[in-house]
Amino acid sequence: MAILKFLGAALAVSAIAVPAMAQISSEGGPIYIDSERTESLERERKVLLIGNVDIQQGTARLRADTVTIIFSGKAGGESAGVGSGFGQIQTMIAEGNVFYVTPEMKAKGDRGVYDAAVDTITMTGNVALMRERDVAEGQILKLEVGKRRTTLDGGTGRTRMVIESDKDTAGN
């Protein structure tokens, strides 16, 4: 689950496709971004996505109230599109009602941070992870995108899980 590369000069665009250096999907491909407002902070090399943010790449989707994208400042890729002068994505911070969905799982939390250097998403605050009918809850969820590794931590408490048995194999 990696993330994006995009946006530069001031813009008020609601849905755009951008090439990806980082990604939210292990599949790669174009990233589609939809938000109520987009602010480009060129000097800080940041893009703010505000209001019902919805980011999709391949079969992965990230939704949040706000998303801040921080760029490394190192030009990368061959894009000449919006934001191409910002460089590659370094960090993406999603806040408020954060949902990350792939065909294999659904995760929710209060905050999510994507770190491109280690290709990891960390969700915190009232975290829930669902895989098929199984549910796990905790305070810190670490998703190592490329490695397809997931770690759930209880924070100051404990993790809780409900694992549904397969009805076809139960009792055999």
Side-chain angles (χ1 to χ4, degrees), residues 8-88:
L11 54 105
V13 177
S14 299
I16 58 176
V18 294
M21 293 310 284
Q23 21 228 311
I24 62 169
S25 169
S26 57
E27 302 166 13
I31 296 171
Y32 299 92
I33 301 162
D34 186 28
S35 65
E36 291 174 5
R37 188 171 84 220
T38 301
E39 293 181 23
S40 174
L41 306 171
E42 293 179 47
R43 288 190 175 141
E44 290 114 32
R45 296 192 182 280
K46 288 183 185 178
V47 172
L48 308 177
L49 303 169
I50 301 162
N52 298 311
V53 179
D54 188 351
I55 301 171
Q56 295 181 43
Q57 181 183 39
T59 57
R61 184 176 197 174
L62 174 68
R63 293 184 335 208
D65 294 339
T66 64
V67 174
T68 301
I69 301 169
I70 302 166
F71 293 85
S72 67
K74 300 174 192 148
E78 38 198 73
S79 169
V82 177
S84 60
F86 277 21
Q88 297 179 9

Side-chain angles (χ1 to χ4, degrees), residues 113-134:
V113 176
Y114 171 72
D115 184 345
V118 291
D119 195 24
T120 301
I121 296 172
T122 303
M123 295 182 78
T124 56
N126 302 305
V127 173
L129 173 65
M130 287 96 17
R131 291 184 190 261
E132 295 183 12
R133 297 181 313 223
D134 302 336

Side-chain angles (χ1 to χ4, degrees), residues 109-171:
D110 296 334
R111 186 172 197 262
V113 176
Y114 171 72
D115 184 345
V118 291
D119 195 24
T120 301
I121 296 172
T122 303
M123 295 182 78
T124 56
N126 302 305
V127 173
L129 173 65
M130 287 96 17
R131 291 184 190 261
E132 295 183 12
R133 297 181 313 223
D134 302 336
V135 178
E137 296 177 335
Q139 288 301 310
I140 304 165
L141 175 65
K142 184 176 177 183
L143 303 164
E144 297 176 67
V145 180
K147 293 179 183 177
R148 299 182 61 89
R149 179 178 177 173
T150 304
T151 306
L152 181 64
D153 191 316
T156 58
R158 299 175 58 84
T159 62
R160 293 170 303 285
M161 296 179 10
V162 175
I163 300 172
E164 293 283 334
S165 64
D166 186 356
K167 290 180 178 24
D168 293 334
T169 59

